């Protein structure tokens, strides 16, 4: 079998909080992510999602266990360059990710730092802009753009490094619905067309529904992991850990609880419409 893109073996991470005390943010997590998978990661605030994300590209090194990126231990200082260029990260706030005052320079920043030759940088900038649908913005000024455009630019900047895995840490959280749609469309396309492995951290359950695999964290641990429809069927557990389900599932659950013959496990709108039509 092919080597997994990401492998976590009993990974823990503790932040030092005060003298002699620490806070365990990730608690003994084991996980394998196959190349090309679109994974969504959800969990309420403080459940350890961002800490886990930073462990994936060596921004944090586990305090217990190990993280392997295409078989390379993130704790191996000699290989940290490989790890960082394999796993790109897009963060929450689009305004904190702009580096240059012009789109082209902003995207070129990553590969320039990696010492990529000039010609190659130019073609990567072209390619990255095309992938995020922003070719006409090549000479634009980032700070004048919409939130969705800025996040697409941040994704282009990461793409120019040619990572094999893209981690998005609540990158849609600060966007309006239009911006969210723009970003999700780009992420979906990268996964489908470029076979890029995606780890998408979000608090929008409707976005999580689009993934191949949904991982739910609570208190530093993975509590659910499976196909989104199967995970959302665990309605009671999700409610207990203060997470919602997608709108369509919530509607199905409410109708079911009101005594109607509707399957509470429904996750797509057409299926809900079908079962409502049958009742009429
Ligand atoms: P999430 O992204 O799911 O909201 P985080 O990974 O940011 O969760 O945080 C997990 C836990 O670790 C929380 O209890 C948080 O308060 C704590 N934490 C996060 N960053 C730090 C830090 N730099 N120092 C101490 N504790 C932290
Ligand atoms: Mg977070």
């Amino acid at each position: 079998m092919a080597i997994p893109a990401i492998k976590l073996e009993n990974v823990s991470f503790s932040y030092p909080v005060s003298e002699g005390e620490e806070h365990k943010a990730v608690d003994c997590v084991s996980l394998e992510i196959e190349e090309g998978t679109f994974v969504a990661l959800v969990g309420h605030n403080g459940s350890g999602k961002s800490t886990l994300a930073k462990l994936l590209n060596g921004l944090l090194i586990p305090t217990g266990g190990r993280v392997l990126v295409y078989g390379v231990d993130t704790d191996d200082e000699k290989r940290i360059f490989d790890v960082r260029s394999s796993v790109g990260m897009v963060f929450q706030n689009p305004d904190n990710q702009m580096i240059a005052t012009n789109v082209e320079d902003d995207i070129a920043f990553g590969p320039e730092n990696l010492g990529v030759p000039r010609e190659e940088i130019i073609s990567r900038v072209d390619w990255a802009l095309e992938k995020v649908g922003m070719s006409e913005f090549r000479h634009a000024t980032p700070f004048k753009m919409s939130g969705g455009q800025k996040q697409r630019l941040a994704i282009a900047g990461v793409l120019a490094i040619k990572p094999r895995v893209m981690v998005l840490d609540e990158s849609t959280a600060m966007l309006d619905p239009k911006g969210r749609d723009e970003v999700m469309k780009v992420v979906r396309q990268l996964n489908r067309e470029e076979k890029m492995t995606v780890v998408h951290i979000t608090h929008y359950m409707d976005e999580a529904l689009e993934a191949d695999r949904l991982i739910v964290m609570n208190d530093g641990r993975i509590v659910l992991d499976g196909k989104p429809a199967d995970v959302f069927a665990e309605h009671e557990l999700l409610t207990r850990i203060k997470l919602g389900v997608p709108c369509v599932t919530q509607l199905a659950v409410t109708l079911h609880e009101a005594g109607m013959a509707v399957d509470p496990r429904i996750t797509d709108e057409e299926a809900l419409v079908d079962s409502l039509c049958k009742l009429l």
Side-chain angles (χ1 to χ4, degrees), residues 21-22 53 60 64 71 88 99 118 144 154 192 213 266:
E21 272 195 55
E22 44 187 40
L60 294 175
I99 297 146
R118 192 70 214 155
K144 285 186 185 159
R192 290 193 192 147
R213 177 176 173 190
I266 283 175

Side-chain angles (χ1 to χ4, degrees), residues 125-164:
V125 170
D126 285 341
W127 172 77
L129 278 171
E130 196 212 309
K131 285 294 149 197
V132 300
M134 290 186 70
S135 298
E136 74 273 32
F137 288 87
R138 191 179 188 114
H139 303 290
T141 310
F143 71 83
K144 285 186 185 159
M145 300 190 311
S146 73
Q149 289 168 338
K150 285 179 190 168
Q151 281 303 51
R152 279 150 66 203
L153 174 58
I155 292 173
V158 171
L159 280 180
I161 299 165
K162 294 255 173 187
R164 298 165 84 178

Side-chain angles (χ1 to χ4, degrees), residues 168-185:
L168 300 110
D169 189 357
E170 305 220 26
S171 305
T172 57
M174 295 175 76
L175 305 181
D176 60 17
K178 182 169 174 288
R180 280 177 53 201
D181 279 350
E182 289 172 20
V183 168
M184 287 307 290
K185 187 166 161 251

